[in-house]
Amino acid sequence: MTLGEALLWARAYVDRLDARLLIQSASGCSHSDLLARPEIPLIAPAQAQFMEWVQRRAAGEPLAYLLGEAEFRGRLFQVSPAVLVPRPETELLIELALEKSAALRRSAQILDLGTGSGIVAISLALESPGSVVSAVDLSSAALDVARNNAGRLKASVALVQGDWYAPLAGRRFDLIVANPPYIAADDPHLCGDGLPFEPPMALTDKADGLACIRQIVAGAGAHLMPGGWLLFEHGYDQGLACRNLLQAAGFQDVFTHPDLAGTDRVSGGKL
Ligand code: GLN
């Protein structure tokens, strides 16, 4: 089979871009090889790998898990099924956190709760010069991915294993950020769109969707400096509930911000 024939075969199962990225990864060929030299033969192991990936992609497995990597804010992050696939809407959390840390006029102490692949902590460490970033996750497999990403991207992030604030007794931060699991256990969204392949602990609290957010809000008082901000991502219909939780916990300047699609996505407040 040649590159051109393999691509033609794959088009019956997956879209053009996915087919191209999978064949490049399986065979090591470049985009220009595909365009200019489609008659290059695909060696047997590469062909077998490509055909397997195409079938798995057609069955709904996220492209990022097949490629082992995904882009976020222009950087390439390693991902595995131990971590969530980076979502573009999470950029909003970064943008808002950068605003808050820039307003500090000193090096910010930042904490990322439930860091997963580390995209939030690493982006903040690289884009908020002088900041000191710590990141927590319960999953040691996720922390391995985050550690590898921090190393490859030369970001300085202190990675700690534990349950939300549990490993941080006595420590306070200027800024706490989180992209917690916020999908309710009975949300049918969990059954589609590649989500069944992702770690359930990163997606759902196995309750009403707000259980982890309640814990994060409740614990923030003991871990924020005076005037510190808590910012977290949440679901499209959770803005009001999140603002209520923040206000009840004594936060001020409580807000919800929509993502680029116009959907409520990040809420936060100042203590
Ligand atoms: N935004 C993701 C989704 O709806 C969920 C991510 C999360 O729970 N933190 O698929």
Side-chain angles (χ1 to χ4, degrees), residues 42-92:
L42 202 52
I43 59 166
Q47 181 178 323
Q49 178 66 272
F50 176 63
M51 292 175 98
E52 183 207 316
W53 280 347
V54 166
Q55 304 289 358
R56 284 166 60 186
R57 181 74 193 105
E61 196 163 337
L63 183 71
Y65 290 158
L66 300 171
L67 298 174
E69 59 189 24
E71 200 182 295
F72 182 76
R73 281 181 84 76
R75 300 183 183 93
L76 213 49
F77 287 83
Q78 186 212 344
V79 297
S80 81
V83 300
L84 214 60
V85 174
R87 316 281 207 264
E89 58 267 29
T90 301
E91 291 215 22
L92 176 64

Side-chain angles (χ1 to χ4, degrees), residues 153-250:
L153 293 165
K154 299 189 176 19
S156 170
V157 176
L159 294 159
V160 192
Q161 187 182 7
D163 190 9
W164 303 125
Y165 300 101
L168 302 164
R171 294 194 52 197
R172 288 187 184 265
F173 300 86
D174 298 300
L175 188 56
I176 298 176
V177 295
N179 177 15
Y182 54 71
I183 304 179
D186 61 0
D187 188 331
H189 180 61
L190 284 171
C191 303
D193 233 3
L195 273 69
F197 295 88
E198 296 187 282
M201 70 181 286
L203 289 168
T204 177
D205 58 2
K206 301 193 165 64
D208 65 349
L210 290 166
C212 295
I213 289 173
R214 281 188 204 97
Q215 273 182 276
I216 288 169
V217 171
H223 295 282
L224 278 175
M225 313 250 206
W229 284 88
L230 170 64
L231 308 175
F232 55 88
E233 182 173 317
H234 56 72
Y236 71 98
D237 57 353
Q238 293 172 330
L240 177 61
C242 290
R243 291 194 301 280
N244 286 339
L245 284 170
L246 287 161
Q247 266 147 4

